Amino acid sequence: MPGPVERLVVVLGDQLDADAAVLRTANPERDAVLMAEVDDEATHVPSHRQRTTLFLSAMRHFADTLVRRKWRVRYVSLDDSDNSHTLVGEIQRAAQALAPKAIALTLPGEHRVQRAVATWSRRVRGPVELVPDGHFLTDLEAFAEWRRERRRPVMEHFYRAQRKRLGILLDHGGGPQGGSWNFDASNRQAFASPPRPPQPPHFAPDRVTRDVIEAVVRRFPDAPGRLDSFGWPVTRQAALQALSAFVDQRLASFGPFQDAMWTGQRLLYHSALSPALNLKLLHPREVVNAALAALDKGAPLPSVEGFVRQVIGWREFIRGVYWTEGPEYGARNALEHEGRLPSFYWTGETDMRCMAESVRQVLDTGYGHHIQRLMVTGNFALLAGVHPKTVADWYLGMFVDGVDWVTLPNALGMVMHADGGVVGTKPYAASGKYIDRMSNYCKGCRYDPAKRTGDDACPFTTFYWDFLSRNQRRFAGNPRMSLMLRHVERTSRGERSAIATHARTLRRTLGIAAT
């Protein structure tokens, strides 16, 4: 019979790192691990079936790994008859059954779970230890200190400081390798003909994943999204294989085409490693090291730098913003948008070809690359005036890499500019002409991206000019908006009125207008 439990180590669904500090300091002979599948995590926002499946399958595989390493694991599955289906309830049940002298877990990655931890820590006997999350390259105290020294946090400044601190892509004098901190000017190419990118590895569901799929379909019959294409890595071994395939086959072309889009191409040259990173199946340092090793073997510097920037720059910056801004961040609505999310975000049924392509891809696979998120589904919501928290919740639940610390600042801050300029110094607003330039989505679409009004005017273009007109005073002092606002000033009063009228009609027709 197993002996008494000294410490109960709680492992959450996005903390699947066998080398995490909370496990390294524990003892399999005296301590036990608790992992729990609870309905709360799949229902607090509508969660894509592939997202729920990915989390649960990765959790079950991770638990199996711990058992093979001789850990005592208390695993609560969805179908367990005694499952309370709340994190608080399962920790209380485990504490009562195992009577540990202490409970320990890695710092949760979102405010909602931290509040839950605060709730059960008052209800259980013994101390509760929160261990810092060593998965990241920048601890939260260091980010907070960096931010205190600046009036406004600018990601580019943070990224350059990261490069210097970590010693990444520097020349012998400490300057940027290649003479530039970034290569954006050469990394914004569109495809002149249909691209033929190498396909990433597809990880066919094994028995564990098939069991999860059956449970998800049975327990969440109304959940959005399809499951028939599921092939995400659910183990560390598979995640390492996905990393290797990206570095060997797609990294070289990632840089120039990272902003490009094409019909029927969900991935192109993007890595799609964010799900494995956010579950902690991969560590950011090993991902960066793999890219740097590819540089040594001849991979183009602009591609390697562009990828590294996403990992050590944006990813770490966004996490820092999430925690330094605090729990109230999610309620911000600087542009005072109150519109409803159109129904086609859940169905993909729209005659805007770019939106239909991007949303259907999400429904089919739970994934879209960052330009589809920012400049198609996100740009439309921004221009149309949808409530930012509604948009943030959609991103959280509908993408397989959705966890709150990353989706909230990206969606509410970068996409919707609802934080008033914390994440981005200006809104990422663009008309249909941008989509036409960076994709083939507009070919064959019934809307004309060059037209602002009329039945065949592109809704992106109509909403873009209406957005600029409505916010002309708000952004008058923003130097990065001056060129766009000068175009508004040159637009006649009559045309501006016609654009506003057409935008109001579109909001009613598309179900956006708040009642």
Side-chain angles (χ1 to χ4, degrees), residues 80-100:
D80 286 351
S81 59
D82 294 333
N83 192 333
S84 66
H85 288 291
T86 68
L87 179 62
V88 173
E90 287 315 300
I91 292 174
Q92 286 182 293
R93 284 207 311 132
Q96 292 171 358
L98 301 176

Side-chain angles (χ1 to χ4, degrees), residues 356-478:
E357 287 283 338
S358 298
V359 173
R360 287 171 185 167
Q361 175 179 304
V362 174
L363 292 170
D364 288 346
T365 68
Y367 183 81
H369 67 67
H370 72 270
I371 294 299
Q372 291 173 312
R373 302 190 200 197
L374 177 62
M375 301 308 300
V376 181
T377 55
N379 185 34
F380 184 88
L382 167 68
L383 300 177
V386 177
H387 194 286
K389 188 59 167 61
T390 304
V391 178
D393 285 348
W394 184 79
Y395 279 104
L396 174 61
M398 290 299 288
F399 289 86
V400 291
D401 55 8
V403 288
D404 199 51
W405 66 263
V406 66
T407 53
L408 183 64
N410 267 310
L412 188 136
M414 187 179 184
V415 170
M416 299 301 293
H417 203 69
D419 61 7
V422 175
V423 171
T425 54
K426 77 174 186 65
Y428 283 86
S431 73
K433 288 185 176 181
Y434 173 86
I435 296 171
D436 190 29
R437 185 168 66 252
M438 297 307 301
S439 75
N440 72 330
Y441 290 158
C442 298
K443 305 295 188 296
C445 181
R446 68 168 290 251
Y447 296 113
D448 185 341
K451 289 189 176 182
R452 308 180 190 185
T453 59
D455 289 342
D456 61 343
C458 174
F460 277 84
T461 302
T462 301
F463 282 141
Y464 171 74
W465 288 101
D466 178 64
F467 174 84
L468 292 180
S469 184
R470 286 187 292 109
N471 291 286
Q472 188 174 6
R473 291 184 179 178
R474 187 190 304 272
F475 296 123
N478 188 325

